[in-house]
Amino acid sequence: MDRITETVIEADPKLPVIRMNRDFAATPEQLFRAHTDPELFARWVGPDAMATRIEHWDASSGGSWRYVSVRDGTEYRFRGCFHDVRPDRIVQTFTFEGDPDGVALETLWFEDLGGGRTRLRTQSLVDSFEGRDAWLRSGMEVGVNEGYAKLERMIVDGAV
């Protein structure tokens, strides 16, 4: 079986889309819970140098969310709406409040690989190629990889 051992991040050459894939030694239910339980989400999301607090979280279809990540006293705010929340897929919007016009439509899929393994696939559609490329230049891969590494440790430790 082809296993992805680290996050693969790809920019679509024809659309302003970022796609990511990563395999986890976890069930789809565990990954779904890690993305919908606000206490768990705050523990793993983002780079190691940041702490996250949840300001609002309603992980249901039609719900919304807002969190703040803090590094060295500087706050970064993010918000969005959950459009569709179900055990195999989450569709949501994502906005960095520092760029309120840059709203992304994100879809996350939890693909059961069997044997207690799951592939997390994500797709983020942004409003322009410039916006997409700015995300890629921002160092987002550090936050993605460090965040997923924290999530993997939480799974191993039984926190999820």
Side-chain angles (χ1 to χ4, degrees), residues 54-107:
I54 304 295
E55 294 200 338
H56 171 74
W57 196 268
D58 176 8
S60 63
S61 295
S64 61
W65 57 269
R66 185 172 194 254
Y67 66 86
V68 179
S69 294
V70 182
R71 177 180 23 221
D72 298 328
T74 302
E75 295 188 344
Y76 303 89
R77 292 174 165 72
F78 305 88
R79 63 183 159 86
C81 297
F82 290 106
H83 291 263
D84 189 29
V85 177
R86 56 187 205 218
D88 65 331
R89 185 178 85 157
I90 297 172
V91 179
Q92 65 184 11
T93 58
F94 178 92
T95 303
F96 167 53
E97 291 185 5
D99 180 20
D101 294 332
V103 179
L105 177 62
E106 298 187 332
T107 305

Side-chain angles (χ1 to χ4, degrees), residues 133-152:
D133 294 346
W135 277 31
L136 294 169
R137 285 191 311 270
S138 74
M140 67 170 270
E141 73 280 354
V142 172
V144 167
N145 285 311
E146 289 182 359
Y148 286 158
K150 287 185 279 188
L151 176 54
E152 286 178 334

Side-chain angles (χ1 to χ4, degrees), residues 1 3 24-27 112-118:
M1 176 185 304
R3 292 191 175 183
F24 289 87
T27 64
D112 191 345
L113 300 175
R117 295 193 59 79
T118 301

Side-chain angles (χ1 to χ4, degrees), residues 124-141:
S124 298
L125 173 64
V126 298
D127 63 338
S128 68
F129 285 99
E130 295 80 14
R132 181 202 64 194
D133 294 346
W135 277 31
L136 294 169
R137 285 191 311 270
S138 74
M140 67 170 270
E141 73 280 354

